Amino acid sequence: MAPRLTPKRLAFLRAAADHPKGSILPMLTTDAGVKVFLRAADETALEELGYAASIDDCGHVQGSPDPDHEHRSHPHLFRITDAGRQAVQAADPATTGKEMPR
C-alpha cells in the first residue's frame, strides 16, 4: 500500500514547519495532554512521500551526492522538506487544532 499523509503525520509536519530548523521531533503533546509518538513507519512514509529527510544545517540531504565530502561530518537530523512545507500549506485549515489519532 502506498504511504499517505495521515492526520497524525500532518500534525508532526505542522510542528516541524513551526520549528526554527524544521526538525521533526519524535513526540508531540496534544492540547489534551496526550503524548503522540512518531513511529518508524511514520518516518518511512514521510520520507517516501518526500515530506521529510535526514538533512544537515546546510540543507544537504543525507545520501545525496557530496563529491567534496563537505557534509560528511555534519549532523543530519530528521527535518521537513520544501514539499512537506507545501503539504502543510495545502492541508485543509479545518483540520488545524483537532486531536491527533494515536
Side-chain angles (χ1 to χ4, degrees), residues 21-100:
K21 291 191 176 189
S23 295
I24 298 176
L25 304 175
M27 182 196 75
L28 294 177
T29 303
T30 66
D31 292 339
V34 177
K35 293 180 181 176
V36 181
F37 296 92
L38 187 71
R39 303 206 187 288
D42 298 317
E43 287 186 22
T44 300
L46 290 173
E47 286 179 328
E48 289 180 7
L49 290 166
Y51 296 157
S54 183
I55 305 170
D56 70 8
D57 285 344
C58 303
H60 177 258
V61 177
Q62 192 169 22
S64 66
D66 182 17
D68 297 327
H69 305 292
E70 297 172 349
H71 303 281
R72 181 173 286 182
S73 63
H74 296 178
H76 288 73
L77 303 173
F78 196 55
R79 295 179 173 158
I80 191 169
T81 62
D82 289 339
R85 291 182 189 282
Q86 290 173 358
V88 169
Q89 291 174 351
D92 180 4
T95 63
T96 305
K98 289 190 177 179
E99 285 294 315
M100 292 176 281

